[in-house]
Amino acid sequence: MADRTVLERLLEAGITQDRAMHHLSDRWVRVDGEIITDPAHLAEPPVQVELRFNLLFDESGN
């Protein structure tokens, strides 16, 4: 599948759409280290999509 979005990648990982949207709005989703809130943001592999739930991280990733 070409031009996959962050939302599509999260759904492929088994996360429900409601939960994925929650993670995006809470700023827990990162693409190659950058916080992403837009579910339509492109995230075609090989970019890394990750969730960071640790509230100790600030926006710089520290």
Side-chain angles (χ1 to χ4, degrees), residues 5-26:
T5 65
V6 170
L7 179 58
E8 290 168 330
R9 293 279 304 271
L10 293 172
L11 296 174
E12 289 170 3
I15 299 171
T16 66
Q17 185 164 344
D18 287 342
R19 179 67 69 185
M21 296 302 288
H22 172 77
H23 293 339
L24 286 159
S25 68
D26 281 352

Side-chain angles (χ1 to χ4, degrees), residues 31-46:
V31 173
D32 284 345
E34 178 185 347
I35 294 171
I36 301 298
T37 58
D38 178 6
H41 184 89
L42 292 180
E44 186 64 26

Side-chain angles (χ1 to χ4, degrees), residues 26-28 30 51-59 61-62:
D26 281 352
R27 303 172 54 88
W28 291 348
R30 293 178 185 250
L51 297 176
R52 288 199 187 169
F53 299 103
N54 188 338
L55 299 178
L56 298 177
F57 283 106
D58 64 20
E59 289 187 19
N62 298 316

